[in-house]
Amino acid sequence: MDVLMLSRLQFAAATMFHFIFVPLTLGLSILVAIMETRYVSTGDETYKRMAKFWGKLFLINFALGVVTGITLEFQFGTNWSRYSAYVGDIFGSLLAIEATVAFFLESTFIAVWVFGWDRLSPKMHCFAIWIVAIASNLSGLWILLANGFMQNPVGYVMRNGRAELDNFFDVITNTTGLLQFMHMIPAAIMLAGFFIMGISAWHLLRKNEEAFFTRSFKIGMGAALIFSVLVAAGGHIHGNNTALMQPAKLAAMESHWETQTNAPMYLLQMPSLTEDGNMIQALPIPGLLSFLAFNDVNAEVTGLNDIPEQDRPPVLLTFLSFRLMVGLGTLFPLVAGLAFLFRNRLDKFPLLRFLPWMIPLPYIAIFAGWTVTEVGRQPWIVQGLMRTSDAVSPLATSQVVFSFVMLSLIYALLGAVDIFLMMKYARKGPE
């Protein structure tokens, strides 16, 4: 492998591993804040115990997320120095705001929340967890705006061979970044909902703290049901934007090769392994692809054959990741809706014993979605401005191999620690 591929694999591994922790942090912070708000408004001690129990799992996840996130920002300087020099004026300013404002608030108030039990009034303590939840999600907003610039660069001028910030307002109102945020945050809350449902189901099957975990289950179920629907709605709007801004990505997501109006969607479809057409293509629904892309059955959808070969993203991986995301995204509201129907007789809920095993599925769906986003943008690191191959640092192959192996070993160790701690305290239950 060359330096480019090794650097891509290293960054992908680091990002994917860090992202194990991010969505649960975003979603669980909000649900813990809701639990504590219920405690403050009702005085019911069960909600206080819930905030402490689920808050402990949140803290473990948060701590490992911070550790794994640090290496990511270093890689912009080590592995992607040409990219940093080219767009650092814009990309760096967004990450700087995320670190100095959102992450600073989050880190400060999380300490207040952890050490403030019985030292602050209940209202002030509840205020602290809401600041943590809001700051966590604001942190996600700034990072997604930075990614949105890579997908749809706006607010810049080319000067001295690099992209420099010209209009900060355009950058922070970038439609692509905001739509990613609208898609990602509901997904994070949905994931947290399934996380709570899965652990609660494990305890309910063992008759542990039934009142406690029945209430927890219902909060998780409500979040999973509401936000799985919002994820699907946000995904459709995000797809409309992709069709306009990144037609090559849309064509790869659908393995759509010929430009046509009233474009069909095929119920049976599989791209060729050589990525030159489809080897399976059957059962078309006329106009459905046009409708999903542009809300118009007669709209024209650009095919891959009208995109220069050197500008096409990898089709097979993008197509399969998109199908996996959509398939799981269809399953989630069905499961959450079924749980809602059995909410008052959970012992009869047919999927209760499967819910602990479903905890990884929202993670897989989110990972598949980000694979579509990032692989579907290739060969561009900044859409239409800079190719990924032009962004990599001039490093020796041995240097990248060494850092890749070392990071992978450290990540494997941290992953084992996380799984051990989460399983230990999840099984232990509330004290």
Side-chain angles (χ1 to χ4, degrees), residues 173-250:
T173 57
N174 187 348
T175 305
T176 301
L178 294 177
L179 287 174
Q180 286 180 335
F181 183 74
M182 288 172 56
H183 194 37
M184 184 62 234
I185 298 306
I189 301 173
M190 178 197 72
L191 180 148
F194 274 99
F195 178 80
I196 290 176
M197 287 170 69
I199 293 174
S200 299
W202 190 87
H203 283 282
L204 288 172
L205 288 166
R206 287 157 181 77
K207 309 294 184 186
N208 299 336
E209 295 261 13
E210 289 185 83
F212 177 93
F213 283 109
T214 297
R215 285 194 193 183
S216 295
F217 186 97
K218 289 182 178 179
I219 289 177
M221 174 201 67
L225 180 59
I226 295 170
F227 287 93
S228 60
V229 174
L230 292 178
V231 169
H236 175 68
I237 299 170
H238 189 27
N240 291 158
N241 183 68
T242 301
L244 286 172
M245 302 296 180
Q246 296 173 295
K249 180 188 288 186
L250 177 79

Side-chain angles (χ1 to χ4, degrees), residues 97-108:
I97 294 171
E98 184 271 332
T100 56
V101 179
F103 184 65
F104 176 78
L105 271 177
E106 183 184 13
S107 303
T108 302

